[in-house]
Amino acid sequence: MHQKLKAIAWDFDGVLNRNIVNGRFVWADSLQDDLGISLRDLQKGIFDDTFPDVISGKIDLKIHVQRWLEASNHKLSVGALLEYWFRKDDLNDPYTCDLLDRMNLQGVQQVIATNNEHHRASYIEHVSGFGDRVSEIFSSGRIGHAKPETAFFEHVSNSLDLAPQQLLLIDDSAANVAAAKALGWHAYHFTDATRSGLATCLGL
């Protein structure tokens, strides 16, 4: 690990949260059986062309989901669907979460830097318990910009009062890793092929 490193910014989904397996979101595996909603319909209706505006906080997730439920004639409430989604999507990765906790003991500041709107960011913070494990949760919905936008990374470094070279991003997105490196950050591209090497990279 670089000696001048002061903080580690962990991506959440796909890194600390092992909810993506072979390119699919495993939380939705039983969606049809549990709620009578097909994954294809959900993806088309919620994860549509306007979803980036949800992620960056321009459109509230609850309003976005309510519109789709009404248009699709689903009787499920917004609250019930989001509670199901967030709970089923709460799949913390024991390996990376252990590394996070061990790095805390090393005195390196730990934060989460995630593309999530504020409802799920709050769930991650208060229900999943990461508010007690990291010093800050930086989410796109709270910041108003999403990775790999420059403004996202600048917000994190400015808020922490750290120079880019003092920060390490651990992320499963090649685009996010490239954007961070272009700004002077250290970055680790976390994939199934590289996950076993992360502990060594961190000096653990």
Side-chain angles (χ1 to χ4, degrees), residues 175-195:
N176 295 342
V177 166
K181 286 183 175 180
L183 293 170
W185 289 45
H186 300 279
Y188 190 90
H189 189 199
F190 185 80
T191 67
D192 286 340
T194 66
R195 65 182 277 120

Side-chain angles (χ1 to χ4, degrees), residues 138-200:
F138 295 101
S139 73
S140 53
R142 294 170 174 174
I143 294 171
H145 297 279
K147 297 177 291 183
E149 294 177 57
T150 296
F152 181 99
F153 296 104
E154 290 180 340
H155 178 92
V156 174
S157 59
N158 290 339
S159 296
L160 296 176
D161 195 24
L162 293 174
Q165 61 268 26
Q166 295 176 305
L167 290 154
L168 169 67
L169 174 72
I170 302 172
D171 204 297
D172 64 339
S173 164
N176 295 342
V177 166
K181 286 183 175 180
L183 293 170
W185 289 45
H186 300 279
Y188 190 90
H189 189 199
F190 185 80
T191 67
D192 286 340
T194 66
R195 65 182 277 120
S196 63
L198 181 56
T200 301

Side-chain angles (χ1 to χ4, degrees), residues 14 38 41 43 46-48 69 77 86-87 99 137 155 167 175 179-180 189 196-198:
S38 74
D41 287 346
Q43 288 176 323
I46 294 180
F47 304 109
D48 59 8
L69 288 171
S77 71
F86 294 173
R87 176 173 49 83
L99 295 182
I137 294 180
H155 178 92
L167 290 154
H189 189 199
S196 63
L198 181 56

Side-chain angles (χ1 to χ4, degrees), residues 29-46:
D29 282 352
S30 58
L31 180 66
Q32 179 74 62
D33 291 338
D34 292 342
L35 301 182
I37 297 174
S38 74
L39 177 57
R40 180 176 179 179
D41 287 346
L42 185 80
Q43 288 176 323
K44 288 176 61 179
I46 294 180

Side-chain angles (χ1 to χ4, degrees), residues 8 10 100 103-104 108-112 133-136:
I8 298 174
W10 296 82
L100 180 151
M103 290 307 296
N104 266 325
V108 180
Q109 186 174 11
Q110 310 292 300
V111 302
I112 287 175
R133 302 174 80 171
V134 299
S135 62
E136 186 85 30

